[in-house]
């Protein structure tokens, strides 16, 4: 891999401020071509324990620093990430597959968490509470929760790390991260820059490895870890939550979704189609907040489908580093097979393929951007998160009915509403049982707002003031006069 700054390419674990080899290595490959990118440390539970020990030892000194001192170090990290953003984007595209422009966007999105939380930690105010007893003085102070462990996903190998690590570090916590096995290089490159920025040894640690169960057990059960944070699927999240129960860890869980995208007959069709393209085909549909069920009012169904069809047909598919490509491969073969299965199941139950519907000859991980119509709520494509480039369209006629259908899922992460009628838009946004609702846009993620889900889509929020609060304990202090 050719980089302007070859120091960013690291293959060993980053523990206690040092690069450490593991006993074994694991291959990291480009999902577009299958080409070997490098052999990375295949860490074990013992490596995770060493990382937790380092984070525990580093905690007293880091939490003792003033918010201003921590902010200064984090801002240096932010600056280095921005300066190296082209290389970081290249690493990300090669190990994950998304087009370079999207990867570049992710690097800046990821960096923005570091800048924002560096600023926000200066405002960790406590309160003076009007007392219930003249002989007592009551107040609260906020203190870092302690050592934080994180398991991060392959779909956003940079931003899902910084969205967790930045507020944790800013609050005065120390951090241990296990990145996804498929995308460790982005995590290790971030460590190299954190090291250059002067983050003290042991403050940030990364253990890469294929033993998800063994490493995961340490991160969820070690009594020295105070808080665990995870982005990934709901079934895995439930398992990890059960493991965290043994030591009553604080938890933040950003889990699966089944996002409805509702197009009313008073929507602006161009806005609706643009929003749908953005939420459905970003990262080849491998996004937790990607649209999964598209409900279109019967009166505008055909117009919407025609416009969507021409946008989908215009997508250029290929290797993420090629100019003009706007959709790359899926992450691995399993993901392609799963999407293929869901499409076949929908077709067998009466759905119609308007476009795509099959694997592409570009390579084994490519699936064609797909448009299905005639989908129903009973089909697996509507009840399961497809996590792929498949737009599955259904019809509706009645507002109350579509709200009921949109809410009829155990998930509650993100939802989308397209309407030019402000009263209806307000009504529907409020009625949807989701942690995030976007109206007349398909892009809403930002550092400054809380990201997270209701129901089985998660616990807690990332980003915004809520994302900062996740890493503090509030201590109530009562002084007798
Ligand atoms: C995710 O898929 O979990 C992250 C998506 C985002 O931050 O927009």
């Amino acid at each position: 891999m050719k980089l302007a700054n070859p120091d960013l390419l690291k293959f060993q674990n980053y523990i206690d401020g040092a690069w450490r080899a593991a006993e074994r290595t694991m291959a990291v490959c480009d999902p577009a071509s299958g080409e070997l990118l490098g052999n990375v440390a295949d860490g074990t539970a013992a490596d995770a324990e060493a990382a937790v020990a380092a984070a525990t030892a580093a905690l007293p000194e880091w939490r003792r620093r003033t918010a201003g001192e921590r902010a200064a170090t984090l801002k240096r990290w932010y600056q280095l990430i921005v300066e190296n953003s082209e290389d970081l984007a290249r690493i990300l595209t090669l190990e994950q597959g998304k087009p370079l422009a999207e990867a570049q966007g992710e690097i800046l999105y990821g960096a923005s968490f570091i800048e924002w939380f560096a600023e926000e930690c200066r405002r960790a105010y406590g309160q003076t509470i009007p007392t219930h007893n003249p002989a007592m003085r009551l107040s609260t102070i906020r203190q870092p929760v302690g050592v934080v462990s994180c398991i991060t996903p392959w779909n956003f190998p940079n931003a899902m790390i910084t969205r967790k690590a930045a507020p944790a570090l800013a609050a005065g916590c120390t951090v241990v991260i296990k990145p996804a096995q498929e995308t460790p290089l982005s995590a290790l490159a971030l460590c190299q820059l954190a090291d250059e920025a002067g983050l003290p040894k042991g403050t940030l640690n990364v253990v890469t490895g294929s033993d998800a169960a063994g490493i995961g057990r340490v991160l969820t059960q070690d009594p020295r870890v105070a808080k665990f944070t995870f982005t990934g699927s709901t079934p895995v999240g439930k398992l990890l939550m059960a493991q965290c129960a043994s030591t009553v860890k604080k938890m933040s869980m950003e889990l699966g979704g089944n996002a409805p995208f509702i197009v009313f007959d008073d929507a602006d069709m161009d806005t609706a189609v643009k929003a749908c393209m953005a939420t459905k085909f970003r990262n080849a549909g491998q996004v937790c907040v990607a649209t999964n069920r598209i409900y279109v009012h019967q009166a505008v169904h055909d117009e919407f489908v025609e416009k969507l069809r021409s946008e989908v047909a215009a997508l250029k598919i290929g290797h993420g580093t090629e100019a003009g490509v706007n959709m790359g491969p899926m992450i691995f073969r399993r993901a392609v097979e799963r999407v293929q299965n869901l499409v076949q199941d929908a077709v067998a139950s009466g759905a119609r393929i308007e476009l795509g519907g099959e694997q592409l000859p570009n390579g084994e991980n490519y699936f064609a951007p797909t448009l299905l119509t005639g989908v129903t709520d009973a089909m697996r494509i509507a009840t399961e998160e497809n996590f792929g480039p498949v737009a599955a369209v259904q019809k509706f006629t009645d507002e109350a009915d579509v709200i009921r259908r949109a809410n009829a899922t155990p998930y509650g992460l993100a939802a989308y509403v397209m309407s030019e009628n402000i009263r209806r838009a307000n009504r529907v946004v409020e009625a949807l049982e989701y942690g995030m609702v976007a109206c007349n846009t398909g892009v809403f993620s930002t550092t400054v707002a809380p990201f997270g889900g209701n129901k089985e889509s998660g616990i807690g929020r990332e980003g915004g003031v809520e994302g900062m609060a996740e890493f503090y304990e509030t201590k109530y202090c009562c002084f007798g006069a």
Side-chain angles (χ1 to χ4, degrees):
M1 189 186 306
K2 268 193 135 163
L3 298 176
N5 178 2
D7 275 354
L8 291 178
L9 216 44
K10 292 285 186 252
F11 299 98
Q12 296 179 326
N13 283 324
Y14 184 68
I15 299 173
D16 205 15
W19 296 102
R20 293 202 198 162
E23 274 176 25
R24 291 192 313 262
T25 60
M26 60 181 187
V28 179
C29 298
D30 178 344
S33 62
E35 188 190 322
L36 179 72
L37 300 173
N39 291 304
V40 173
D42 191 3
T44 58
D47 295 308
E49 276 168 15
V52 170
T56 307
L59 183 64
E61 209 281 305
W62 181 246
R63 65 179 286 164
R64 196 185 47 74
R65 292 195 184 186
T66 65
E69 286 167 341
R70 289 196 300 271
T73 309
L74 289 172
K75 284 206 170 174
R76 278 198 298 277
W77 191 23
Y78 162 77
Q79 204 54 51
L80 286 170
I81 292 172
V82 173
E83 282 165 22
N84 286 275
S85 60
E86 283 188 19
D87 277 349
L88 292 171
R90 194 170 168 75
I91 293 172
L92 201 162
T93 290
L94 287 173
E95 69 176 349
Q96 200 276 339
K98 68 179 68 174
L100 212 42
E102 266 187 51
Q104 183 77 31
E106 180 181 338
I107 300 301
L108 298 182
Y109 174 49
S112 72
F113 290 104
I114 302 175
E115 184 188 40
W116 198 83
F117 284 111
E119 288 161 358
E120 187 60 13
C121 71
R122 294 169 180 268
R123 288 178 281 279
Y125 304 122
Q127 283 188 316
T128 302
I129 302 170
T131 188
H132 66 300
N133 178 339
M136 288 179 170
R137 295 293 174 268
L138 320 181
S139 59
T140 60
I141 55 172
R142 295 175 123 196
Q143 294 182 307
V145 291
V147 174
V148 172
S149 62
C150 322
I151 297 185
T152 57
W154 49 258
N155 62 342
F156 288 86
N158 175 293
M160 294 307 101
I161 289 179
T162 56
R163 192 154 82 181
K164 292 170 171 36
L169 292 166
C173 303
T174 53
V175 175
V176 177
I177 299 166
K178 185 210 174 290
Q181 172 183 351
E182 294 76 14
T183 55
L185 299 176
S186 293
L188 296 172
L190 280 173
C191 290
Q192 170 62 22
L193 295 176
D195 196 273
E196 284 176 33
L199 225 72
K201 73 184 180 108
T203 314
L204 174 71
N205 307 273
V206 166
V207 178
T208 61
S210 60
D211 181 12
I215 297 171
R217 255 193 302 278
V218 174
L219 300 191
T220 53
Q221 294 185 337
D222 192 306
R224 293 169 294 183
V225 173
K227 166 150 184 146
F228 174 69
T229 151
F230 172 68
T231 296
S233 74
T234 295
V236 175
K238 287 181 182 177
L239 198 83
L240 295 168
M241 284 169 73
Q243 290 178 188
C244 283
S246 65
T247 49
V248 194
K249 292 199 197 315
K250 288 171 113 31
M251 283 180 279
S252 299
M253 295 277 161
E254 207 265 90
L255 307 177
N258 182 0
F261 183 97
I262 307 172
V263 185
F264 285 98
D265 51 354
D266 52 28
D268 178 275
M269 278 308 117
D270 291 335
T271 302
V273 169
K274 187 168 168 230
C276 189
M277 290 300 295
T279 145
K280 187 61 257 185
F281 295 99
R282 171 166 78 124
N283 199 10
Q286 303 169 115
V287 181
C288 300
V289 294
T291 284
N292 206 52
R293 294 169 289 157
I294 304 173
Y295 295 106
V296 186
H297 192 279
Q298 179 166 279
V300 292
H301 174 272
D302 293 355
E303 182 189 355
F304 177 83
V305 167
E306 269 329 295
K307 287 192 174 201
L308 190 62
R309 183 206 304 273
S310 55
E311 291 294 321
V312 176
L315 286 173
K316 184 173 174 205
I317 322 297
H319 195 289
T321 56
E322 277 170 37
V325 160
N326 25 46
M327 202 184 96
M330 299 191 70
I331 189 74
F332 36 51
R333 178 97 196 112
R334 239 174 27 254
V336 174
E337 283 165 1
R338 193 184 130 66
V339 169
Q340 178 83 74
N341 247 311
L342 288 173
V343 168
Q344 278 166 359
D345 178 81
V347 170
S349 311
R352 189 180 132 119
I353 297 178
E354 304 282 345
L355 264 182
E358 64 202 357
Q359 207 186 319
L360 288 171
N362 305 46
E364 70 163 11
N365 293 338
Y366 284 90
F367 195 80
T370 296
L371 176 58
L372 296 180
T373 53
V375 172
T376 67
D377 285 322
M379 295 176 187
R380 281 180 55 212
I381 196 102
T383 57
E384 296 177 25
E385 185 177 28
N386 76 53
F387 226 63
V390 182
V393 180
Q394 320 192 26
K395 284 184 186 167
F396 77 93
T397 50
D398 176 67
E399 180 184 309
D401 182 55
V402 79
I403 291 171
R404 184 194 53 74
R405 288 164 67 187
N407 285 338
T409 165
Y411 297 100
L413 191 59
Y416 302 84
V417 180
M418 302 292 128
S419 170
E420 293 293 303
N421 175 336
I422 187 149
R423 291 187 190 183
R424 163 175 279 156
N426 258 313
R427 223 170 29 234
V428 178
V429 166
E430 287 183 12
L432 289 168
E433 296 161 359
Y434 288 81
M436 299 169 283
V437 184
C439 185
N440 295 329
T441 179
V443 183
F444 63 83
S445 301
T446 163
T447 313
V448 303
F451 188 106
N454 299 356
K455 302 199 241 175
E456 293 192 13
S457 287
I459 295 177
R461 293 292 182 267
E462 295 186 328
V465 288
E466 291 84 353
M468 187 87 232
E470 298 277 338
F471 296 94
Y472 289 120
E473 291 281 14
T474 296
K475 183 179 282 176
Y476 160 46
C477 313
C478 177
F479 296 90

